């Protein structure tokens, strides 16, 4: 079997790898997890060496599975592409290309002081006119400056700052690269309109331009070729072309068949990105904008970002409701049990509201000091009420993003959803009922790696164009809104919006303590 492709996604909760044929069929897949390191309240870091190990392990396991199930041989692999989480600060590397510290990832909120300081150097209006994004502790340029201000010994030793996918591409090829989507996610120092670094802004902010590769690549550009050492660790042959890759949510969108303007789409995994593709320069600083992986100098992806989604569900399962039960020979997991229990609870969770800001929040409130709130708890509430209230809160947050900006005006009444949340029929129905939208979910839990594989296939020419990817997109279920439930949720949604304003002062005081 010739011309199979490997897609690798370095995500926040783990690295997924998939071996895919040119028709989009998954021949082998694997997932290797790793932790988020939270040293302080509001901090979030990850060890890039664990990313690298996970890439070798997941790829090797996927290749072995493809060999057993489909007869794939190492020499059949024609191309590789890597996507990755937005790594915030990036991976700080010394002259020998060894990481000097953990990467400060996207969900970290520590750089509040740096945000205030950079605002005195470049006004919010000017920064938005250059980058299409706001000044916030979420963006990588402030996290980079936190390292400069708080770890001067490390700062002086940094030779390169690479994105998560850029670091893995280096590990696989020995070549240094960065793609447009990763550069834009640093914020502050990327000129969105011109599609290049904004060196004048770097100088004003005090960030050395030599820390980044000068030439930015498109995701499908070949960044290098698999080295002998990396090939041995992955069970492959050396010399396979490796693409520059992109930010992971964009790879998921590609696998879902989202290529056109004005298509509303959401990627719901560890976090939520709810957005739309368009061509014009963004007009709303409450949202985030980056180039799309396809035609990054033409198409833009503007979205609202919810920091705690799947990770909040995981926290609830582990900390509030951890148990399993055996029914004969069948073992039900925590999630399966909770889904059944919560599915029997009426809309509104018995008068219970949640603010899902467990790691601060991005769009549209942009509040590093925000924290989670359960409001309305009583003795009648069960863990099922609480879990359903979490899913409802995340759906309210999606509705708030959609209603924040006129960019969604042309998006119609449908949203294509990809990511791990598609496995929850309960969540997807709640999302449809809260937003009033038709929710179309996509099949297959390896969506981002499938998008990566499509990028690799187009890059090396074994797939003629991205249009072929429409055949890869496997839409799974369609959830129509129930309008009786919508009007019930509409009342709760209005209270949800009031709850943040009513509690933010207390929450900020508690966060400071």
């Amino acid at each position: 079997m010739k011309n199979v492709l490997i897609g690798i996604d370095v995500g926040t909760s783990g690295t997924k790898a998939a071996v895919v044929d040119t028709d989009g069929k998954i021949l082998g897949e694997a997932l290797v997890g790793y932790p988020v390191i939270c040293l302080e309240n509001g901090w979030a870091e990850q060890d890039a060496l664990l990313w690298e190990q996970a890439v070798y392990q997941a790829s090797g396991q996927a290749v072995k599975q493809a060999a057993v199930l489909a007869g794939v041989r190492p020499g059949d692999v024609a191309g590789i592409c890597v996507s990755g989480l937005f790594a915030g600060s990036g991976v700080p590397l010394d002259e020998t290309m060894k990481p000097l510290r953990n990467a400060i990832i996207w969900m970290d909120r520590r750089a509040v002081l740096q945000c205030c300081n950079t605002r005195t150097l470049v006004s919010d209006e000017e920064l938005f006119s250059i980058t299409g994004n706001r000044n916030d502790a979420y963006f990588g340029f402030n996290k980079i400056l936190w390292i400069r201000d708080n770890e001067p010994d490390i700062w002086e030793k940094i030779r390169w700052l690479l994105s998560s996918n850029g670091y893995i591409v280096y590990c696989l090829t020995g070549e240094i690269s960065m793609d447009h989507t990763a550069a834009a996610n640093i914020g502050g120092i990327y000129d969105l309109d011109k599609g290049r670094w904004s060196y004048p802004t770097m100088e004003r902010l005090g960030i050395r331009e030599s820390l980044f590769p000068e030439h930015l690549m498109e995701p499908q550009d070949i960044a290098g070729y698999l080295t002998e050492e990396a090939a041995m660790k992955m069970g492959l042959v050396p010399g396979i072309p490796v693409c520059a890759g992109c930010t992971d949510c964009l790879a998921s969108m590609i696998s879902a068949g989202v290529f056109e303007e004005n298509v509303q789409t959401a990627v719901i995994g560890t976090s939520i990105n709810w957005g739309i593709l368009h061509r014009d320069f963004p007009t709303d600083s409450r949202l985030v904008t980056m180039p799309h992986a396809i035609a990054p100098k033409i198409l833009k992806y503007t979205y609202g970002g919810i920091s705690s989604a799947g990770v909040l569900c995981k926290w609830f399962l582990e900390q509030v409701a951890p148990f399993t039960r055996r029914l004969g020979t069948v073992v039900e997991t925590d999630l399966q049990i909770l889904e059944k229990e919560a599915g029997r609870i009426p809309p509104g969770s018995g008068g219970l509201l949640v603010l899902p800001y467990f790691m601060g929040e991005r769009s549209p409130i942009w509040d590093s000091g925000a924290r989670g709130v359960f409001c309305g708890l009583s003795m009648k509430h069960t863990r099922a009420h609480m879990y359903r209230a979490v899913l409802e809160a995340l759906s309210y947050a999606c509705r708030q993003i959609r209603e924040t900006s006129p960019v969604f005006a042309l998006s119609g009444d449908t949203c294509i959803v990809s990511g791990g949340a598609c496995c929850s029929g309960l969540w997807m129905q709640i999302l449809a009922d809260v937003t009033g939208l038709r929710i179309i979910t996509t099949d297959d839990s390896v969506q981002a790696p499938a998008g990566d594989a499509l990028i690799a296939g187009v890059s090396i020419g074994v797939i003629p164009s991205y249009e072929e990817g429409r055949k890869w997109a496997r839409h799974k279920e369609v959830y129509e809104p129930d309008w009786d439930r919508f009007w019930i949720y509409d009342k709760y949604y209005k209270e949800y919006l009031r709850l943040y304003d009513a509690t933010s002062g207390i929450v900020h005081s508690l966060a400071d303590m």
Side-chain angles (χ1 to χ4, degrees):
M1 179 179 289
K2 289 289 186 182
N3 294 333
V4 298
L5 306 158
I6 293 181
I8 302 168
D9 176 50
V10 182
T12 305
S13 59
T15 287
K16 301 175 185 176
V19 180
V20 187
D21 69 15
T22 53
D23 293 321
K25 181 180 179 181
I26 306 296
L27 307 177
E29 60 185 277
L31 168 66
V32 175
Y34 34 72
V36 175
I37 302 165
C38 299
L39 300 174
E40 300 283 350
N41 189 16
W43 290 23
E45 302 180 354
Q46 286 191 314
D47 184 345
L49 296 178
L50 293 183
W51 293 342
E52 181 184 2
Q53 294 170 16
V55 166
Y56 297 140
Q57 293 170 13
S59 300
Q61 292 170 21
V63 168
K64 288 180 181 178
Q65 187 181 92
V68 172
L69 298 180
V72 173
R73 297 167 297 182
D76 294 336
V77 177
I80 299 171
C81 183
V82 183
S83 62
L85 73 152
F86 165 46
S89 68
V91 184
L93 301 162
D94 66 13
E95 290 281 358
T96 67
M97 299 304 290
K98 292 182 179 179
L100 290 162
R101 70 170 332 277
N102 294 332
I104 303 175
I105 66 171
W106 58 271
M107 66 170 63
D108 188 284
R109 304 297 300 181
R110 77 184 70 178
V112 175
L113 178 60
Q114 284 66 37
C115 179
C116 295
N117 292 340
T118 51
R119 188 165 281 123
T120 66
L121 300 173
V122 183
S123 70
D124 288 352
E125 294 76 16
E126 183 180 2
L127 193 77
F128 184 78
S129 72
I130 297 169
T131 68
N133 286 300
R134 66 188 292 118
N135 188 342
D136 188 78
Y138 159 74
F139 289 103
F141 74 99
N142 282 316
K143 293 175 168 67
I144 291 168
L145 291 172
W146 185 93
I147 298 175
R148 184 199 67 182
D149 296 344
N150 292 275
E151 298 173 344
D153 291 344
I154 289 177
W155 176 255
E156 291 304 320
K157 295 176 184 176
I158 299 175
R159 175 59 189 91
W160 296 104
L161 283 167
L162 297 184
S163 62
S164 56
N165 58 306
Y167 173 72
I168 295 303
V169 168
Y170 170 78
C171 295
L172 300 184
T173 68
E175 300 293 338
I176 294 169
S177 67
M178 186 174 289
D179 75 283
H180 283 277
T181 71
N185 264 317
I186 295 173
I189 58 176
Y190 178 84
D191 191 316
L192 181 66
D193 196 39
K194 296 177 180 176
R196 65 190 186 197
W197 296 118
S198 175
Y199 290 122
T201 310
M202 279 190 196
E203 183 177 1
R204 289 165 67 183
L205 295 176
I207 297 175
R208 302 192 301 270
E209 63 181 68
S210 60
L211 297 177
F212 310 96
E214 180 180 359
H215 174 65
L216 295 174
M217 293 188 164
E218 297 198 8
Q220 69 187 42
D221 289 344
I222 294 173
Y225 298 86
L226 196 65
T227 65
E228 289 189 13
E229 181 181 358
M232 180 180 64
K233 294 177 179 178
M234 299 169 75
L236 297 173
V237 297
I240 299 170
V242 179
C243 297
C246 62
T247 303
D248 53 2
C249 66
L250 299 177
S252 291
M253 289 169 55
I254 290 172
S255 72
V258 179
F259 307 122
E260 296 176 346
E261 293 177 78
N262 300 326
V263 175
Q264 187 171 207
T265 183
V267 182
I268 306 181
T270 301
S271 63
I272 297 176
N273 291 339
W274 184 290
I276 189 170
L277 293 178
H278 61 98
R279 289 176 181 260
D280 297 332
F281 196 88
T283 59
D284 196 330
S285 64
R286 292 171 295 181
L287 302 181
V288 182
T289 297
M290 67 174 117
H292 190 29
I294 297 174
K297 295 182 180 179
I298 300 173
L299 280 179
K300 300 172 180 65
Y301 176 52
T302 291
Y303 66 95
I306 300 166
S307 294
S308 302
V311 69
L312 177 52
C313 297
K314 182 174 184 288
W315 170 85
F316 187 88
L317 287 169
E318 292 176 348
Q319 304 301 328
V320 180
F323 77 85
T324 59
R325 66 183 175 188
R326 182 177 294 276
L327 301 175
T329 59
V330 178
V331 176
E332 288 189 309
T333 66
D334 296 344
L335 182 59
Q336 289 170 322
I337 298 167
L338 271 179
E339 290 271 313
K340 290 180 180 179
E341 293 177 354
R344 294 191 286 267
I345 304 297
S349 301
L352 184 59
L353 278 175
V354 174
L355 293 181
Y357 308 144
F358 281 54
M359 288 295 295
E361 190 53 294
R362 293 181 286 171
S363 177
I365 68 169
W366 293 104
D367 186 352
S368 296
R371 294 294 182 269
V373 173
F374 278 81
C375 181
L377 275 170
S378 72
M379 296 295 288
K380 74 176 182 180
H381 289 115
T382 66
R383 68 193 209 126
H385 288 88
M386 296 174 71
Y387 180 67
R388 184 181 183 104
V390 167
L391 300 183
E392 290 173 344
L394 293 168
S395 302
Y396 296 144
C398 290
R399 178 172 169 179
Q400 186 178 9
I401 289 171
R402 175 174 163 77
E403 294 181 357
T404 291
S405 174
V407 73
F408 294 103
L410 298 177
S411 62
D413 60 357
T414 298
C415 182
I416 299 173
V417 179
S418 59
C422 292
C423 297
S424 172
L426 173 64
W427 191 351
M428 294 300 99
Q429 187 60 58
I430 290 173
L431 186 62
D433 294 340
V434 167
T435 61
L437 297 175
R438 184 171 182 253
I439 301 298
I440 301 175
T441 62
T442 52
D443 195 8
D444 208 331
S445 62
V446 292
Q447 289 150 339
D452 296 322
L454 181 59
I455 292 173
V458 172
S459 172
I460 62 176
V462 299
I463 297 172
S465 72
Y466 286 111
E467 290 299 315
E468 291 292 307
R470 298 187 189 283
K471 302 174 185 176
W472 290 32
R474 296 176 178 87
H475 294 160
K476 183 180 179 182
E477 302 285 350
V478 177
Y479 297 86
E480 300 286 352
D482 180 296
W483 292 105
D484 288 336
R485 291 195 291 264
F486 172 83
W487 290 114
I488 294 172
Y489 278 131
D490 187 63
K491 297 176 182 177
Y492 280 95
Y493 173 65
K494 291 180 172 63
E495 297 304 316
Y496 169 86
L497 297 178
R498 292 179 60 207
L499 183 59
Y500 170 71
D501 292 331
T503 60
S504 61
I506 297 171
V507 166
H508 287 165
S509 295
L510 292 173
D512 291 339
M513 292 179 190

